[in-house]
Amino acid sequence: MAPNKTKKNKNKNKKGRYGVAELKTLGNDLLSSASNINNLPLLLKFVTPSSPPHHLLESLLSLHSFFLPLLPTLPSSSRAADAKGAQDQSQFIYNTWLRSKFDELVNSLVEVLSSPRQQQQEEEAVKEVVLDTLMEFVKVANGGRFHSAIYHRFLHSIVHSESSLEFLVDLLAAKYFKYIDVRYFTLVSLKNLATTLEGRDPSDDKSESADGVDASQLSSSTERVIHNIYYTISRVPPLANSDNTSDFEMWSTSENENKQPSRDVNADDKQLKPEKHDNNVLSAAKIAKKMKLKFTQAWLSFLRLPLPLDVYKEVLVNLHQAVIPHLSNPIMLCDFLTKSYDIGGVVSVMALSSLFILMTQYGLEYPNFYEKLYVLLAPSIFMAKHRARFFQLLDSCLKSPLLPAYLAASFAKKMSRLLLSVPPSGALVITALIHNILRRHPSINCLVHREDEVEGKDDKATDEATAANSDNAKVSASQKSGIDHFNYGEPNPKKSNAMRSSLWEIDTILQHYCPPVSRFGLSLENDLTVRAKTSEVNVGDFSSGSYATIIGAEMSRRVKQVPLAFHKSTPSTLFSDADFAGWTFHYKETSEIMHGSEDDQNSGKRQRVE
């Protein structure tokens, strides 16, 4: 045993003595003659995450130059046992051995990309070179066609890696996502990864936790994978509309069309080819259809995952712009969006944009849409991060002339009630929304001014019944004039009794402490039923307001007269006689106030003696 240990230590010391110059010599010898093939395993030992950067890059440069011209002649891993003829047996064995070393190199490259290094600058430089080498192998290792197996192995490794994948994904987006086939197989791989993660058996987690792994760690690892999948899929650009296939640039193009494709490619991952004038043609329309289908499948598979709250919110914010216009059938998102809209709170506000697009542009029917929208009107919405988009969509949702009068009245009344509790920026938005509602729906202008006599005529039967059942009819009639029939806590706008109420809260903003609010409230005093003399207010001008914007607008506003900090004539009294009619003020010396008169002091002493 002792001689074997000594021999291993000698080999280890011998490996440690290799420098960059020696590795360069080994690589040149390997490239110059096939008799130096034994240098290949030695160079492979330096392609590891623990190797120094200069050693790794020097070895990789030699191995890349060695394998690149040999890849078209090497057998695939799945056909390694299909040897034909004894005369080529030795050459086949040699090629099979080279193929195994190439697979070992690919595994080492994937391991380097998914493993963190100590210094960030070295890590980024090394990973960029390694990624370029791996993508070259993806390009040529399958007879000129895209090697989806290597690419899927790479994506699977970085998505499940504990280190950050942002640099690699950004590098892919900058260099390779402009190629159609790279985007295509990225979507295919992400769809498979999301489907595998969705279908994971919970018993697997139980068995792992029984072996000593904490359940919280398992959930955190799943969340990390979901974050990585989202970061990757959100960086894949959708396909732009084009009628010319020359606009679709491919990363890998087959030089030999008669060559059989590799069997390790999934049946679902059919190769994309540029348009040719012969048979086997894929037109621009077919390529766009395939890309839309894969884009849709990848996103639908991802949205079925248990998304963390931060990812959930970010998806809802970007869904209506980055995803819905590029899906093959956007209606397939209706289940996801309706569930999100039913959650309530901020999540419902974020889901409103996408749901509104499906309803207005794709014919989605959602009967309880306005009831859910009515519930979202709360004081907290005026402090939400995405309130600007919500108010603009709220204005668009209330624009239809086919909206029932009770529904328009309920929204107008509830927003006017919110005037009493929202900040000044919210009061400006509410005033603009109510202005537009009153102008679009003349049937609810009775809410602007409702007299007690008119109301008494309309509700005569109700008043008589109330007076008959009351012990004191006069007291009941006297209290009737101050009753507001609107039920603020009712979630159903149909039962809120808004049509029996009035917008009396609007009159309060005319005496608002914030001058812009009181000035803007005067616009509601106009007759909004005359459309020729009035125009709708752009809610977007007020939707993102805050205290800072109001103060900035006031500071930049030019006024003709301002309050003065001095009097034009010197005042003789602190208050005028008109301020306190019937009051008189007597002046006493300061000494008398501090010490009092002697009579008061003597009387006080006598009281204490008694």
Side-chain angles (χ1 to χ4, degrees):
M1 296 297 294
N4 292 334
K5 289 182 179 180
T6 304
K7 186 175 181 181
K8 289 181 180 180
N9 292 333
K10 287 182 178 180
N11 292 333
K12 186 176 181 180
N13 294 333
K14 185 177 180 181
K15 178 185 175 182
R17 287 198 299 268
Y18 280 104
V20 177
E22 287 79 3
L23 291 176
K24 186 174 182 180
T25 303
L26 291 175
N28 291 333
D29 294 342
L30 177 64
L31 296 174
S32 61
S33 175
S35 60
N36 298 318
I37 193 63
N38 291 329
N39 294 347
L40 177 61
L42 185 58
L43 292 173
L44 283 173
K45 292 181 181 180
F46 288 91
V47 186
T48 59
S50 59
S51 298
H54 297 290
H55 293 69
L56 189 152
L57 294 177
E58 187 61 40
S59 301
L60 184 59
L61 181 62
S62 301
L63 293 172
H64 175 265
S65 302
F66 175 76
F67 277 112
L68 201 61
L70 294 177
L71 286 176
T73 62
L74 296 182
S76 64
S77 300
S78 60
R79 295 184 297 164
D82 298 341
K84 294 183 180 180
Q87 55 182 359
D88 297 331
Q89 186 71 22
S90 60
Q91 184 64 30
F92 181 79
I93 293 175
Y94 175 72
N95 290 339
T96 303
W97 179 80
L98 288 178
R99 182 70 193 197
S100 65
K101 294 303 176 184
F102 173 75
D103 294 339
E104 183 180 345
L105 174 61
V106 171
N107 293 333
S108 300
L109 294 178
V110 171
E111 186 178 358
V112 170
L113 291 173
S114 59
S115 301
R117 302 184 71 87
Q118 295 181 354
Q119 297 184 4
Q120 184 177 2
Q121 294 181 353
E122 293 183 355
E123 178 184 7
E124 293 180 356
V126 170
K127 286 188 175 182
E128 184 173 1
V129 176
V130 173
L131 178 63
D132 292 340
T133 304
L134 187 67
M135 292 303 294
E136 284 290 334
F137 291 155
V138 169
K139 182 178 183 179
V140 301
N142 191 24
R145 293 184 176 89
F146 197 95
H147 203 300
S148 60
I150 295 178
Y151 190 67
H152 177 74
R153 197 186 317 167
F154 157 66
L155 286 181
H156 181 277
S157 178
I158 64 173
V159 164
H160 290 81
S161 174
E162 296 183 0
S163 60
S164 176
L165 84 166
E166 294 182 3
F167 174 75
L168 288 174
V169 175
D170 293 342
L171 202 60
L172 280 172
K175 284 188 173 183
Y176 300 103
F177 281 168
K178 63 181 179 180
Y179 301 107
I180 300 300
D181 48 355
V182 177
R183 273 188 265 175
Y184 180 87
F185 288 105
T186 301
L187 295 173
V188 170
S189 298
L190 292 176
K191 180 249 181 183
N192 294 336
L193 290 171
T195 305
T196 304
L197 191 63
E198 178 191 6
R200 179 180 293 178
D201 190 0
S203 61
D204 297 340
D205 295 343
K206 294 181 180 179
S207 62
E208 291 181 4
S209 60
D211 294 337
V213 180
D214 191 6
S216 62
Q217 295 179 357
L218 294 175
S219 60
S220 62
S221 64
T222 303
E223 288 187 4
R224 185 183 67 252
V225 173
I226 294 175
H227 276 87
N228 292 340
I229 293 177
Y230 173 68
Y231 190 85
T232 306
I233 198 173
S234 62
R235 297 304 185 277
V236 180
L239 184 64
N241 294 328
S242 178
D243 297 332
N244 189 3
T245 53
S246 61
D247 297 335
F248 300 151
E249 192 175 359
M250 310 288 284
W251 173 243
S252 61
T253 54
S254 177
E255 297 179 358
N256 187 7
E257 296 296 333
N258 297 326
K259 196 175 181 84
Q260 294 293 330
S262 176
R263 296 181 185 177
D264 55 4
V265 180
N266 296 333
D268 190 30
D269 307 345
K270 297 180 180 180
Q271 301 292 335
L272 292 175
K273 299 177 183 178
E275 184 180 10
K276 293 184 180 298
H277 297 287
D278 302 330
N279 295 331
N280 240 347
V281 173
L282 271 181
S283 63
K286 291 183 178 179
I287 293 178
K289 185 177 180 180
K290 279 178 169 290
M291 288 296 298
K292 271 197 170 185
L293 179 62
K294 295 304 176 183
F295 187 85
T296 303
Q297 291 176 351
W299 272 101
L300 291 179
S301 300
F302 170 73
L303 294 178
R304 294 191 190 101
L305 298 176
L307 304 180
L309 184 59
D310 56 342
V311 176
Y312 199 5
K313 292 181 178 180
E314 191 172 351
V315 166
L316 290 175
V317 169
N318 300 321
L319 201 63
H320 66 286
Q321 293 180 343
V323 179
I324 290 181
H326 310 288
L327 295 179
S328 59
N329 186 12
I331 295 295
M332 300 177 71
L333 291 177
C334 64
D335 292 337
F336 172 78
L337 292 175
T338 51
K339 289 179 181 178
S340 302
Y341 192 60
D342 292 339
I343 291 176
V346 181
V347 177
S348 296
V349 175
M350 295 178 176
L352 181 60
S353 299
S354 302
L355 194 60
F356 180 76
I357 290 177
L358 292 187
M359 292 176 61
T360 56
Q361 299 182 14
Y362 298 98
L364 176 65
E365 295 183 2
Y366 187 45
N368 299 326
F369 175 77
Y370 283 99
E371 285 76 2
K372 298 293 182 181
L373 184 62
Y374 183 78
V375 175
L376 291 179
L377 290 175
S380 59
I381 199 65
F382 294 87
M383 305 300 293
K385 181 179 180 182
H386 304 282
R387 62 184 182 275
R389 178 64 179 168
F390 171 77
F391 292 134
Q392 294 176 16
L393 288 174
L394 178 62
D395 184 60
S396 300
C397 294
L398 300 175
K399 188 176 291 186
S400 174
L402 301 179
L403 205 65
Y406 78 89
L407 201 57
S410 298
F411 276 94
K413 178 59 181 177
K414 189 168 186 180
M415 285 189 287
S416 66
R417 182 63 60 88
L418 289 172
L419 276 173
L420 306 177
S421 57
V422 299
S425 58
L428 292 173
V429 178
I430 288 178
T431 306
L433 289 169
I434 294 177
H435 179 280
N436 292 342
I437 292 175
L438 293 176
R439 188 178 182 276
R440 295 165 184 165
H441 306 280
S443 58
I444 66 170
N445 274 271
C446 59
L447 301 180
V448 177
H449 181 70
R450 184 187 295 275
E451 296 181 356
D452 295 337
E453 296 179 359
V454 178
E455 185 179 359
K457 293 179 181 179
D458 294 339
D459 303 332
K460 183 176 181 180
T462 305
D463 294 343
E464 291 177 355
T466 305
N469 295 329
S470 175
D471 295 333
N472 192 345
K474 293 183 179 180
V475 175
S476 176
S478 63
Q479 294 177 350
K480 181 68 178 178
S481 59
I483 292 178
D484 189 353
H485 298 280
F486 177 69
N487 187 0
Y488 178 78
E490 174 60 47
N492 189 353
K494 192 173 184 179
K495 301 178 181 179
S496 63
N497 294 328
M499 290 296 292
R500 300 180 60 193
S501 181
S502 64
L503 304 179
W504 58 265
E505 297 90 352
I506 296 178
D507 190 58
T508 61
I509 66 173
L510 300 180
Q511 290 82 31
H512 200 278
Y513 71 90
C514 186
V517 177
S518 60
R519 287 196 302 267
F520 191 42
L522 295 174
S523 62
L524 296 178
E525 293 187 351
N526 301 326
D527 188 4
L528 300 179
T529 58
V530 183
R531 289 177 170 266
K533 297 182 180 180
T534 59
S535 60
E536 289 191 2
V537 178
N538 186 11
V539 178
D541 297 338
F542 307 95
S543 58
S544 58
S546 62
Y547 283 104
T549 57
I550 293 177
I551 293 175
E554 285 295 299
M555 293 179 64
S556 60
R557 182 170 172 265
R558 298 182 63 181
V559 293
K560 297 180 179 180
Q561 295 181 355
V562 295
L564 300 178
F566 58 90
H567 297 277
K568 296 181 179 180
S569 61
T570 304
S572 59
T573 58
L574 182 61
F575 302 105
S576 63
D577 295 337
D579 293 337
F580 297 93
W583 288 65
T584 58
F585 298 93
H586 299 285
Y587 173 74
K588 288 185 178 182
E589 295 290 343
T590 306
S591 60
E592 294 181 2
I593 296 174
M594 296 298 294
H595 303 290
S597 63
E598 294 181 358
D599 295 339
D600 294 339
Q601 294 179 0
N602 293 333
S603 63
K605 290 180 180 179
R606 286 195 297 270
Q607 290 177 2
R608 287 195 294 271
V609 171
E610 292 175 359

